[in-house]
Amino acid sequence: MILVTGGLGFIGSHTVRALLDLGEDCVVVQRSVRELPAVLAGTRVAVERADIADREALLAVGRRHAITGIVHLAGSYPWPPVPEAPVEATRQALDGLLNIAQAAQDWGVRRLGLASTIGVYGGADHDAPLREDAPLSMSAPVSIPTFKKVGELLGGFLADTTGIDIVNYRISGTWGPLGHRDPFFAAPALVHAAARGTAPDLSHLMGPAFAEDGLDLAYVKDTGRAIALLQLADKLNHRTYNVGSGRVTTNAQLIAAIRKVVPDARVGLPTGGEASHMVLDISRLAEDTGYRAEYDTERAAADYIAWLRAGHAG
């Protein structure tokens, strides 16, 4: 049985779905119990209410389930930042990560997967696909890549000292059903606007959006399947894996895909933007798991719009 923290969330629920489809049983840990998301409707998933920052509550889960692996997707970082209590927020974030590692050791799990982010490559040369062995900057402009870098370093130390197979998943920009308005890219907002027949509200973005802006965007169903394959692989040859599409998707390409489904969608953006795009090299992932993306931009846009038009909120 695989334990997935944050398993009822965006990427988590799709990862659980993929694990179930591959024949695994799953238990998810959430701070607050809620109904299974629609992608898990009709499945058998054990749901445990526990805060990963509460070590005893987390370890108790392992006394009720025979857990053989852990996928840690719950946010081990303060986001948005907590300016009134930054030290306490940092302590809670690190406690969650260390408690998960403690659980992995106590339960003797086969593999612990830790969610990281494409954001750790900030400041790296973007002229070529980003490889896992690229040198990383010691700084980051926001909390998420900062804490993910810390998590990767701690995970490496704990893997070396405990013998646990700890694997980092550097996840690219991800969009799709159950997603949210992302502050770093416009794709979810553009799709939601097309499905509703409105102009997109991009006020949540960290900066203005342009047609030529692009990023390695992965459809969440592909992201979840990639993580599941990494968790279940008989052997992994590396400690860190990029999880993405391996290609650039620009806003212009996404808008063209949206308009194939909704020809009159009001999702145009001004020209301009960055000429350099962050793209992940996913050769490690493909070689060690056989992973291949199933959703190109057109198929992903059509699937997401159909999901929203079926009455789903996210």
Side-chain angles (χ1 to χ4, degrees):
M1 175 173 275
I2 308 299
L3 180 143
V4 182
T5 70
L8 299 185
F10 174 37
I11 294 176
S13 61
H14 289 276
T15 300
V16 170
R17 173 83 255 184
L19 287 165
L20 294 172
D21 290 345
L22 291 169
E24 283 291 331
D25 294 325
C26 292
V27 56
V28 302
V29 173
Q30 292 286 147
R31 274 187 298 184
S32 58
V33 174
R34 57 181 185 266
E35 292 184 3
L36 290 181
V39 298
L40 296 177
T43 63
R44 291 185 298 174
V45 178
V47 179
E48 291 279 355
R49 183 176 183 178
D51 187 339
I52 62 172
D54 183 338
R55 183 174 62 180
E56 293 308 313
L58 175 63
L59 294 178
V61 175
R63 295 193 285 270
R64 294 188 289 271
H65 303 277
I67 295 169
T68 58
I70 301 174
V71 176
H72 180 37
L73 299 177
S76 292
Y77 50 83
W79 181 266
V82 188
E84 66 277 9
V87 175
E88 182 57 30
T90 299
R91 179 180 292 112
Q92 290 187 13
L94 294 181
D95 278 351
L97 174 60
L98 294 174
N99 289 343
I100 288 293
Q102 182 71 64
Q105 184 177 41
D106 288 4
W107 301 338
V109 304
R110 177 172 173 269
R111 180 172 293 143
L112 165 59
L114 301 178
S116 187
T117 173
I118 189 175
V120 300
Y121 292 112
D125 181 6
H126 300 167
D127 291 336
L130 296 161
R131 293 174 49 84
E132 293 90 342
D133 55 5
L136 303 182
S137 169
M138 289 293 290
S139 63
V142 294
S143 64
I144 296 177
T146 297
F147 278 78
K148 293 306 185 184
K149 290 178 184 181
V150 171
E152 288 192 16
L153 287 170
L154 284 176
F157 168 76
L158 292 169
D160 290 337
T161 54
T162 65
I164 302 170
D165 182 12
I166 299 180
V167 180
N168 303 306
Y169 309 144
R170 291 180 179 168
I171 301 171
S172 70
T174 303
W175 61 299
L178 303 179
H180 49 79
R181 297 198 306 168
D182 196 287
F184 303 111
F185 56 91
L190 296 176
V191 172
H192 275 256
R196 293 193 304 262
T198 63
D201 177 6
L202 303 177
S203 60
H204 63 287
L205 293 177
M206 296 187 71
F210 298 95
E212 289 76 19
D213 289 342
L215 181 68
D216 187 315
L217 289 183
Y219 198 53
V220 68
K221 294 181 179 181
D222 282 333
T223 300
R225 187 167 53 85
I227 294 171
L229 289 171
L230 284 165
Q231 177 63 32
L232 300 180
D234 289 337
K235 178 185 178 183
L236 293 177
N237 295 308
H238 306 278
R239 184 170 288 171
T240 300
Y241 288 84
N242 289 333
V243 175
S245 66
R247 66 179 186 274
V248 172
T249 300
T250 66
N251 286 331
Q253 291 169 331
L254 178 60
I255 288 168
I258 289 171
R259 285 178 171 158
K260 287 198 171 184
V261 184
V262 187
D264 58 350
R266 294 182 284 159
V267 291
L269 292 175
T271 59
E274 294 290 335
S276 179
H277 303 128
M278 295 180 75
V279 182
L280 297 179
D281 182 320
I282 60 170
S283 55
R284 279 188 185 181
L285 171 64
E287 290 166 3
D288 284 6
T289 71
Y291 170 82
R292 295 291 184 276
E294 293 183 351
Y295 288 83
D296 60 16
T297 306
E298 289 186 7
R299 185 184 180 197
D303 185 76
Y304 196 5
I305 290 169
W307 166 269
L308 292 171
R309 285 181 164 178
H312 300 292

